[in-house]
Amino acid sequence: MSDETPVCSAKGCRTDALWVLAWNNPKIHTPERRKTWLACEEHREHLSQFLGVRGFLKDVVLLTEWESTGGTAEEHSGGTR
C-alpha cells in the first residue's frame, strides 16, 4: 500500500476513508472476486445503498479490519465519481 491516506470513493469527496465496501457484479465477476469502494462515515450509507439495490454489496468492514485480514485498499476500484 502506498503512503497516501485512502480517501472516500464518493464523487467529489476527499475525506479519509474509514470503511471498505466489498462488492461483486455477478454478471461479470467470478463469485469469489471482490472489488472495493472506500467510504468516509458520511458516505458509507449512500454508497452501501447504491451497491445494495443492484445486488452487488457483499460486505462492509472498517478499513483497519480489512487491512489486518489481508485485504488492501489498492483493490479500490473507484466509486460514484
Side-chain angles (χ1 to χ4, degrees):
M1 191 167 162
S2 72
D3 291 336
E4 262 186 59
T5 302
V7 296
C8 181
S9 298
K11 185 176 182 176
C13 185
R14 302 307 300 159
T15 303
D16 291 352
L18 299 174
W19 297 93
V20 174
L21 287 66
W23 62 278
N24 170 301
N25 180 341
K27 291 183 180 178
I28 60 174
H29 300 127
T30 58
E32 66 280 354
R33 175 85 188 266
R34 291 295 179 267
K35 303 282 282 179
T36 57
W37 283 356
L38 303 176
C40 65
E41 193 63 45
E42 179 182 350
H43 292 111
R44 179 179 59 108
E45 187 62 31
H46 170 75
L47 294 174
S48 293
Q49 287 178 358
F50 181 90
L51 293 168
V53 297
R54 289 158 179 79
F56 295 173
L57 188 62
K58 302 300 179 190
D59 204 3
V60 178
V61 296
L62 284 167
L63 178 59
T64 54
E65 289 178 31
W66 180 263
E67 292 172 334
S68 71
T69 60
T72 67
E74 291 174 11
E75 295 172 3
H76 164 72
S77 62
T80 57
R81 289 185 186 267

